[in-house]
Amino acid sequence: MSQGQPRRPQESTQGGNQQDPIKYGDVFNVSGELADKPIAPQDAAMMQTAETQVLGQTQKGGTAAVMQAAATRNEQVGVVGHNDITDIAGEQGVSVAETDVAGRRIITESVAGQVVGQYVQAVPVLTTQVDAVQQSAITIGEALEATAKTAGDKPVDQSDAAAIQAAEVRATGSNIIIPGGLASTAQSAAAHNATLDRDEDKIKLNQVLTGAAARLPADKAVTRQDAEGVVSAELRNNPNVATHPGGVAASVAAAARLNENVNI
């Protein structure tokens, strides 16, 4: 059973101008400045990363999914850009927290300090102690693992390989490409995929990035500077000069924004 279930984005367009943005207040029970803000693509990316970090995956029909649907629609009608982030969400961040209470797990999701979703799951009773799980800083390896879940079915191309290499360099502090490491594997996958026509035959991101954190010889919490380097690498190697939604650069950038709200 869930509490604070977000409403479907389509509701906000009934009887209204199809060019009007879907705002936070249209789909979530929020107030003040946040309620009047259009849901932006990078807001959704931040929530996807937070859900993956805390819950292991994004939740079907959950807050991140609703935000992504709203942000996609807002981008399609031209009220937000692909790389836009709502100022208040960027400044105050998003969070996903778990609280275990004797057989129940309460999951609370917030944007800019306001609760946008709260769900209750049944869990095995191990203790009667209330244990609040605090969100810790996300590492580069964890951000790459999140990509395996948010864009895992995407065939690896040169922009992905370049972004993964930039991430590995940032994590290890070395410009030397590790034989058999993430960057090396991604480069080989991109080269292999370039010779194939059918996407179903190509190597996917989840095949390269699953278990990424354990495969890095060193790791570190993602910073804004790390994200800028990874985003730049992906942009430079994409013919459309764009990052892929939920891809390597987007996941690392979302992790960096989340980390700005954590003492690292």
Side-chain angles (χ1 to χ4, degrees):
M1 180 178 181
S2 65
Q3 300 173 343
Q5 185 74 28
R7 300 184 292 277
R8 292 174 62 86
Q10 291 92 325
E11 292 179 4
S12 65
T13 64
Q14 293 177 355
N17 187 337
Q18 293 296 309
Q19 300 303 310
D20 289 343
I22 299 175
K23 301 175 182 178
Y24 277 94
D26 295 327
V27 290
F28 299 117
N29 185 23
V30 295
S31 60
E33 182 182 359
L34 181 63
D36 294 328
K37 296 291 185 180
I39 300 176
Q42 294 307 311
D43 300 6
M46 288 173 65
M47 186 59 78
Q48 286 179 329
T49 299
E51 282 192 1
T52 301
Q53 169 71 8
V54 176
L55 306 176
Q57 62 183 4
T58 55
Q59 304 301 292
K60 184 177 181 180
T63 301
V66 170
M67 289 176 65
Q68 183 61 60
T72 298
R73 187 263 181 187
N74 285 345
E75 186 176 355
Q76 288 172 343
V77 300
V79 295
V80 296
H82 176 65
N83 293 315
D84 284 357
I85 182 171
T86 304
D87 52 2
I88 190 171
E91 292 167 3
Q92 299 185 36
V94 307
S95 66
V96 177
E98 292 179 313
T99 304
D100 289 346
V101 184
R104 293 189 307 161
R105 175 172 294 131
I106 302 172
I107 300 164
T108 304
E109 300 179 281
S110 304
V111 175
Q114 295 196 50
V115 174
V116 293
Q118 192 168 66
Y119 312 90
V120 179
Q121 297 178 342
V123 295
V125 180
L126 300 177
T127 175
T128 57
Q129 179 182 0
V130 176
D131 180 21
V133 179
Q134 301 297 324
Q135 182 176 321
S136 58
I138 302 168
T139 68
I140 290 175
E142 289 169 336
L144 293 177
E145 288 184 356
T147 308
K149 297 176 181 178
T150 58
D153 292 333
K154 180 186 184 297
V156 180
D157 60 23
Q158 187 54 45
S159 67
D160 300 317
I164 292 168
Q165 179 176 333
E168 182 178 275
V169 167
R170 291 277 181 170
T172 63
S174 171
N175 289 317
I176 299 174
I177 303 303
I178 305 164
L182 293 177
S184 174
T185 301
Q187 290 288 355
S188 297
H192 173 76
N193 287 350
T195 67
L196 302 174
D197 293 325
R198 301 196 314 164
D199 281 354
E200 53 264 39
D201 296 330
K202 296 179 179 180
I203 300 170
K204 309 301 193 297
L205 277 173
N206 59 9
Q207 294 173 270
V208 174
L209 294 178
T210 298
R215 294 167 58 195
L216 287 170
D219 205 356
K220 64 184 287 289
V222 184
T223 66
R224 181 185 293 271
Q225 291 72 30
D226 297 328
E228 289 173 351
V230 174
V231 169
S232 177
E234 187 166 319
L235 289 173
R236 286 197 310 269
N237 288 274
N238 188 317
N240 297 320
V241 195
T243 58
H244 184 77
V248 178
S251 293
V252 174
R257 286 192 291 270
L258 289 168
N259 283 352
E260 289 181 350
N261 295 281
V262 177
N263 291 325
I264 62 174

